[in-house]
């Protein structure tokens, strides 16, 4: 048996990637290859510097070199690769056996079977079924631990109540000089800081160390600071486990089990543990189900008809809006941003100004080390941009400056004022929020979860509405200068 690891050009060019994302993938693949070789396995690695254009070419080369007579593949996680791999048997002229992925708790089609043709796919329904089926956080008689399925009401403190000290994650002493040199030598079109953040694990041993560290130091506070955003604390109590999970250094089952055990041993409160487990047992598996049920058409929906190009500051962080500056700068620095930065800052802003879904999707898919289309697309296209018209989220995740002021400390360092709605110092999120509601009224006003917002809008005096809309129009006309 030969393990084949291929660094091919086609996987680098389907979007423009953050240099740390590419470096981490290559480093983790090379570490895996070295470990298997040390165990005595035969391992073949095709390096990016060999300029192999695609998998078919790379595999042809390896088949010729090794005399392989059959190939075994685990189902890929992305639709793009499914399409490519479906051609391999004909291209290579040898039998290929494809086995399902072992790295999830559900099969590709499970969420699709549960929801069928329903218009809205309520994650909470899926999550409860997963809790019951996998017997997670249940009492012995099958009831949800503590009497409720969801403890969000106890989580999510505002920024002012967040703790001021955070456990730093472990630093892993990985040397990226060789992969970075190879990325440069191969002439890949990458962006972002090449200083790979030291909190990324690239081996299973490191991933287990990160998991243990999170369970011990951060999980007890996870729920409390889950939605907080602080300028000098880009990591807070988040687990930083998404890269390790997505490249399969960890199985979701062991992460969930470790969190549940912490609760059973009284090392973390139920609200934090349930909130964390929901992200993995619920959201992560659910998003995968949405992806496989709805691709490829899903990627092309555009419910709001948004068509604006992505503003330049998504690539540089150079904007006077402190919240966008912080979320983008953190992302460029470490190929990571936590969920609320992605959802309520960069995602919120792109929705408010009407960025074309294809543009914002490509940005999210390129910039984060954990970005793989099966999880990035439903999160960006569905949850964040509502480009699917509400399949994933019951209402668009948009807000004005008041929410961002409550949940972050960004506004203190901003050129704009979150309390001001019109005039030169007005927070752009404020008027754009009302402009968004106004311009999509025909599509959103009947949504019961938007009723209160539309009632507030309608109660406003006509001249207040006109001033807000004029302010928003001004900001839309100068969106690259904000
Ligand atoms: P934590 O906050 O510690 O959460 C624990 C784990 O739960 C994560 O590691 C992740 O595996 C899982 N998780 C949490 N939220 C979600 C979610 N909404 N969907 C799926 N899994 C979730 N996650 C990715 O893994 N890859 C992506 O490309 C990606 N793109 C996103 C784009 C947008 C616009 C948004 C709003 C969210 C996106 N997410 C993505 C989900 C989430 O933001 C990240 O999983 C999380 O920020 C990773 O950091 P963490 O490991 O510290 O997570
Ligand atoms: Fe962002 Fe507005 Fe606050 Fe500035 S004032 S940080 S633009 S929410």
């Amino acid at each position: 048996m030969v393990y084949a690891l291929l660094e091919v050009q086609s996987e680098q060019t389907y979007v423009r990637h953050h240099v740390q994302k590419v470096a981490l993938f290559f480093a983790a693949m090379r570490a895996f290859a070295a470990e298997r070789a040390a165990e005595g396995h035969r391992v073949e690695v095709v390096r990016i510097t060999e300029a192999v254009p695609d998998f078919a070419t790379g595999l042809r080369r390896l088949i010729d070199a090794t005399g392989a007579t059959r190939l075994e593949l685990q189902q890929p996680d992305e639709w793009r690769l499914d399409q490519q791999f479906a051609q391999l048997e004909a291209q290579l002229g040898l039998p290929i056996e494809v086995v399902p992925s072992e790295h999830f708790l559900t099969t590709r089609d499970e969420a699709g079977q549960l929801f069928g043709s329903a218009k809205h796919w309520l994650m909470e329904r899926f999550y409860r079924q997963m809790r019951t089926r996998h017997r997670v956080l249940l009492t012995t008689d099958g009831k949800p631990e503590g009497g409720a399925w969801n403890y969000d009401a106890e989580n999510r403190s505002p920024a002012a109540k967040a703790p001021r000290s955070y456990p730093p994650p472990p630093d892993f002493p990985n040397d990226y000089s060789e992969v970075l040199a190879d990325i440069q030598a191969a002439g890949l079109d990458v962006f972002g800081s090449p200083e790979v953040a030291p909190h990324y694990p690239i081996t299973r041993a490191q991933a287990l160390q990160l998991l243990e560290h999170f369970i011990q130091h951060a999980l007890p506070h996870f729920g409390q600071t889950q939605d907080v955003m602080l300028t000098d604390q880009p990591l807070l109590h988040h687990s930083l486990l998404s890269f390790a999970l997505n490249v399969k250094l960890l199985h979701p089952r062991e992460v969930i089990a470790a969190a549940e055990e912490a609760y059973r041993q009284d090392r973390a409160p139920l609200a934090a543990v349930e909130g964390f487990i929901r992200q993995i047992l619920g959201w992560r598996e659910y998003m995968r189900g949405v992806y496989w049920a709805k691709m490829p058409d899903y990627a092309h929906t555009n419910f709001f008809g948004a068509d604006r190009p992505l503003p330049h500051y998504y690539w540089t962080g150079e904007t006077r809006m402190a919240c966008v500056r912080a979320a983008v700068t953190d992302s460029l620095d470490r190929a990571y941003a936590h969920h609320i930065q992605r959802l309520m800052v960069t995602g919120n802003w792109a929705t408010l100004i009407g960025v074309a879904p294809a543009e914002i999707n490509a940005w999210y898919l390129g910039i984060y080390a954990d970005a793989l289309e099966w999880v990035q697309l439903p999160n960006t296209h569905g949850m964040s941009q509502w480009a699917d018209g509400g399949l994933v989220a019951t209402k668009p995740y948009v807000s004005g400056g008041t929410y961002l002021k409550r949940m972050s400390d960004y506004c203190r360092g901003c050129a704009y004022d979150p309390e001001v709605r019109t005039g030169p110092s007005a927070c752009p999120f404020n008027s754009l929020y009302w402009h968004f509601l106004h311009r999509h009224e025909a599509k959103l006003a009947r949504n019961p979860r938007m009723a209160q917002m539309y009632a507030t809008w309608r109660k406003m005096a006509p001249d207040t509405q006109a001033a807000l809309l004029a302010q928003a129009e001004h900001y839309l006309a100068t969106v690259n200068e904000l």
Side-chain angles (χ1 to χ4, degrees), residues 80-137:
R80 179 189 73 255
L81 294 174
D82 233 17
Q83 299 304 298
Q84 288 177 29
F85 290 177
Q87 311 297 321
L88 281 180
E89 208 161 60
Q91 286 170 320
L92 300 173
L94 83 182
I96 299 182
E97 189 187 346
V98 182
V99 297
S101 174
E102 295 167 353
H103 298 275
F104 295 92
L105 295 159
T106 45
T107 56
R108 280 180 175 183
D109 56 357
E110 240 171 279
Q113 281 172 7
L114 175 69
F115 292 110
S117 58
K119 196 164 169 228
H120 306 293
W121 287 23
L122 276 183
M123 199 291 290
E124 194 66 27
R125 187 175 153 212
F126 172 84
Y127 168 60
R128 290 179 191 188
Q129 195 185 72
M130 292 292 282
R131 285 267 299 274
T132 306
R133 168 132 64 86
H134 294 278
R135 301 210 54 76
V136 175
L137 286 182

Side-chain angles (χ1 to χ4, degrees), residues 238-242 246 279 336 339 342 370-371 375-376 379:
H238 292 279
S239 69
L240 318 175
L241 288 169
S242 52
N246 294 356
Q279 307 311 311
Y336 175 86
H339 186 68
R342 300 186 203 197
D370 60 28
V375 55
Q376 171 275 326
N379 268 295

Side-chain angles (χ1 to χ4, degrees), residues 331-447:
S331 308
L332 293 170
D333 284 352
R334 56 185 76 231
Y336 175 86
H338 61 75
H339 186 68
I340 289 302
Q341 290 177 307
R342 300 186 203 197
L343 187 64
M344 295 312 293
V345 181
T346 42
N348 184 6
W349 182 244
T351 313
L352 290 182
I353 63 174
V355 173
E359 293 237 347
I360 191 73
N361 282 331
W363 183 79
Y364 277 106
L365 188 54
I367 197 164
Y368 295 118
D370 60 28
L372 293 164
E373 197 188 49
W374 67 267
V375 55
Q376 171 275 326
L377 189 75
N379 268 295
T380 308
H381 199 78
M383 183 189 266
S384 162
Q385 300 300 296
W386 235 65
D388 64 6
L391 180 81
V392 162
T394 49
K395 71 177 180 60
Y397 279 95
V398 286
S399 80
T402 314
Y403 170 86
L404 290 162
K405 181 179 172 230
R406 186 169 72 250
M407 299 311 294
S408 80
D409 67 358
Y410 295 148
C411 301
R412 278 188 234 146
C414 189
Y416 301 101
D417 186 335
E419 311 284 357
V420 179
R421 299 197 296 181
T422 55
S425 67
C427 166
F429 282 79
N430 288 338
S431 55
L432 259 308
Y433 175 74
W434 294 113
H435 192 277
F436 172 84
L437 290 193
H438 173 69
R439 73 180 188 265
H440 297 304
E441 190 163 359
K443 289 181 171 170
L444 293 176
R446 282 194 304 277
N447 180 330

Side-chain angles (χ1 to χ4, degrees), residues 3 34-41:
Y3 282 95
E35 285 179 351
R36 299 296 77 77
E39 288 164 1
H41 293 286

